[in-house]
Structure formats: structure tokens, C-alpha cells
Amino acid sequence: MSSPQAPRPATLSARPEPVGIDLARTALVVVDMQNAFMSPGGLFDNSDLPIAGAQAVIEPARRLLDGIRRAGLPVVYLKMSYNADLSNAGGPDSPNWHKETGMVLMRKHPEDWGRYVTEGTWDEQVVGELAPLPGEPVVRKQRYSGFAGTSLDHVLKTLGVRYVLYMGGATNICVETTLMDGFFLDYWPILVEDACFSQCPPVAVEGAVWNVENLFGWVSTIDDVLGAVATTP
């Protein structure tokens, strides 16, 4: 656990109602903003999945990152990242082996084995515009949820975090499942809706946002988050 900081209370405009948070115990979690899902030539692009929405969110997301860092809040990164030998992908007995997009593409094209969302590859890297700064934790994950089999809970507890802002993609897959798992661990989840992206049908995204707003947390915006962090010392 990090050394206690003086409380920095703030009220964040959100849906379904404003939420009181302590900025001294708040972190931004950046979910899977990687070349795989956002860049031409990455996993999604080569799987004929649209990346225009992901590309469009890069600059707004960078504005959020800059404001969060100026306010002194910690930033924690998640990224899909298999071992080079895929020993943590689950194997043929795992549903992940058959459903996760990277595994599906690599199984269809054995010549690309280890090319996508695999440690050390370009595809696995966070896009350059949103890259982590030195000292910002980067947690590798091999399932949609950032809490499944990872050190994320330990990282957040070490930082003294109670309130978690989420940005990244996909809204209704890795962001939503991570947020839900965080809810079960008593983190206060806040989805920064316009700093997220998805290649899925709008109805799927709308359902995910509804779930957060009504059942699992709060939904806010980049401008509202930046306004809240800028008004406290």
C-alpha cells in the first residue's frame, strides 16, 4: 500500500447521478489501446474489423491522459499479451483459444503464429500517441478482463486506489469485463465513455453502457473528468 495522501475530494458529473470521489485514491486504467486494435496493419485491421472508431478516439484519449497526469493521478495500462509460445493462451480445451480474436486469426493462418497480441511484437505495443511514461505500470493480460489471472488488483492496492476511471477498448468487451470484475472487488468503477471505442454493433455498446450506468458504476465524459481533476489542489 502506498503512503496515505491527504484526501482530495471532488464531485464528478456522471450518469445516473454525480459521484463523489477522492482524487488521492483515483487511478486511470487504460485498456488495450494497442496497435492490435487501433492501427493499420494490426490484428483488427487484418481481421477486416473496422478501426476507424479506434483511430478517432486517439486524440481525445491523449487529452484525457495529459490532464490526468497533470493532476498527479496514477495511470495503469492493460494490454493483451500472450507469451511467445502461447503457453498462457489456454490451449484447445479453453474457450479463449477458440473465441479471442488474436487466437482465431493465428489458428486460421499458422504462418502468423505469434504475430498478434504476443509479447515483444509491434502488434502488442500500446499505440505511440498513448504510450505509457516511465514508471507507469503495464499489466499484461491474456483474457478479456484485466483482473483475470493478473496482478492488476495488487497494483491498484499498492497505489492506494479505490476509484477507477476506465478508458480504451472495446467498450463492451475488455473494458466492460474489467470494470465488472473491479466492481466485485469493491473498486468504484467510472466509464469515461468518449475515451472508449468498439468495433462491435452499436446495440452491443449501448447495452454495455446501460449495464455500467444502471448496475455496475457511473458513466462520465472526458470533459467532466478533466473539469473535476482541475478544480482540486
Side-chain angles (χ1 to χ4, degrees):
M1 185 74 68
S2 61
S3 300
Q5 299 182 45
R8 296 171 60 190
T11 300
L12 175 60
S13 294
R15 307 194 309 270
E17 70 277 312
V19 56
I21 62 176
D22 179 0
L23 296 179
R25 303 187 66 190
T26 300
L28 174 65
V29 171
V30 181
V31 183
D32 293 4
M33 301 193 88
Q34 299 164 252
N35 290 318
F37 312 117
M38 305 184 77
S39 299
L43 167 63
F44 275 10
D45 190 37
N46 289 344
S47 300
D48 296 323
L49 293 169
I51 61 169
Q55 291 270 296
V57 86
I58 289 176
E59 283 306 314
R62 182 159 64 177
R63 187 164 66 90
L64 176 60
L65 268 173
D66 289 346
I68 289 292
R69 286 165 173 156
R70 282 196 302 271
L73 275 63
V75 178
V76 178
Y77 282 80
L78 293 173
K79 62 179 182 177
M80 281 295 292
S81 176
Y82 295 119
N83 291 343
D85 61 2
L86 300 181
S87 57
N88 51 3
D93 286 340
S94 167
N96 185 75
W97 185 268
H98 299 275
K99 299 299 290 188
E100 192 276 317
T101 308
M103 292 306 306
V104 169
L105 187 60
M106 288 190 289
R107 286 190 300 102
K108 285 182 178 178
H109 300 280
E111 69 276 11
D112 288 332
W113 203 248
R115 174 179 174 184
Y116 299 110
V117 288
T118 300
E119 187 176 23
T121 63
W122 169 87
D123 192 74
E124 177 235 23
Q125 294 174 7
V126 176
V127 295
E129 298 92 333
L130 306 174
L133 297 181
E136 291 179 338
V138 179
V139 177
R140 297 174 58 226
K141 67 186 183 71
Q142 295 79 43
R143 300 296 185 272
Y144 295 141
S145 170
F147 285 101
T150 76
S151 61
L152 179 59
D153 186 38
H154 298 300
V155 169
L156 293 175
K157 283 185 167 61
T158 299
L159 292 169
V161 170
R162 185 74 181 276
Y163 305 89
V164 182
L165 304 162
Y166 291 94
M167 63 182 271
T171 309
N172 58 305
I173 306 175
C174 296
V175 175
E176 184 183 21
T177 55
T178 303
L179 182 151
M180 287 179 173
D181 280 352
F183 172 87
F184 301 137
L185 294 169
D186 283 341
Y187 293 104
W188 289 57
I190 300 159
L191 179 71
V192 188
E193 183 177 13
D194 53 348
C196 295
F197 65 90
S198 179
Q199 82 290 353
C200 298
V203 65
V205 179
E206 290 166 8
V209 174
W210 189 95
N211 280 339
V212 177
E213 181 175 343
N214 291 279
L215 301 170
F216 290 98
W218 292 264
V219 180
S220 193
T221 67
I222 294 170
D223 285 343
D224 285 333
V225 170
L226 293 179
V229 302
T231 57
T232 60

